Amino acid sequence: MILETKSLWLKTTEMSDLQKLHENFWTDVQASKAMLWKPSQRIEDSEKKIKNLLSTKHTIFFTIIKKDDKEPIGLATITKNKQDETIIDNIGFGFGYNYTHKGYGIETLLMLVEFCFSKLGTKKINVSYLKQIGVSNNLQKMFGFVPSEIGLTQVSRKHTGEVLEVENYTLTKEMWDMKKMQMGK
């Protein structure tokens, strides 16, 4: 499956994406700080990551590819709730450090939110981010997400044991439809 934005393709992740994801994403120390994984040092490390991804149930993985040079620059995920597939437990995405702060995050999230509500029949989407890393206020301002009822949670990096705080936000289909009307879409 391929989803398309102005600058990007989001393509269902395959084993053939391994080499470029290794080069442009999983070896990137800066990118790993915004994620929970340890940067890969060898292609075999990245191979384990992609095999783990491809065996995961309830999650759709997309390789994010820049259209202009066809380079894979990151990953995006849609994780469905195990009890109710009309609820998305999390939309996540990340880019190699050289591809951050270029507007790709907004394009990616917009595409994934619209895909979930229009194609997957989703009623509610949850997103989260590491508080220590932070994100712009675009979640609330541009997309209409509101703080989740679960509030602040914690997670730890498996490879370091570091405990991190997680900000959690929610968006319902009704809220999204209202936000789109406000934006004139």
Side-chain angles (χ1 to χ4, degrees), residues 52-102:
N52 184 44
L53 295 179
L54 297 176
S55 69
T56 303
K57 295 181 181 180
H58 302 293
T59 302
I60 304 169
F61 293 92
F62 294 97
T63 299
I64 303 170
I65 301 167
K66 272 182 40 186
K67 282 183 181 179
D68 63 357
D69 61 9
K70 298 177 180 57
E71 278 294 304
I73 62 171
L75 279 176
T77 62
I78 298 172
T79 303
K80 298 176 184 177
N81 183 281
K82 292 175 183 166
Q83 284 76 42
D84 183 350
E85 289 203 355
T86 66
I87 297 174
I88 301 301
D89 281 345
N90 196 44
I91 289 179
F93 56 88
F95 305 97
Y97 186 73
N98 291 336
Y99 307 102
T100 60
H101 307 292
K102 298 185 185 306

Side-chain angles (χ1 to χ4, degrees), residues 3-44:
L3 306 177
E4 186 172 359
T5 74
K6 179 181 78 172
S7 308
L8 306 168
W9 288 304
L10 283 68
K11 176 187 79 66
T12 306
T13 301
E14 301 169 343
M15 277 303 289
S16 60
D17 299 328
L18 171 63
Q19 184 65 40
K20 287 297 186 176
L21 285 174
H22 174 74
E23 294 169 8
N24 295 338
F25 186 59
W26 282 323
T27 57
D28 191 322
V29 174
Q30 292 299 323
S32 75
K33 289 179 183 178
M35 306 296 186
L36 295 174
W37 43 265
K38 180 180 181 180
S40 295
Q41 296 187 3
R42 304 171 306 132
I43 190 74
E44 293 83 7

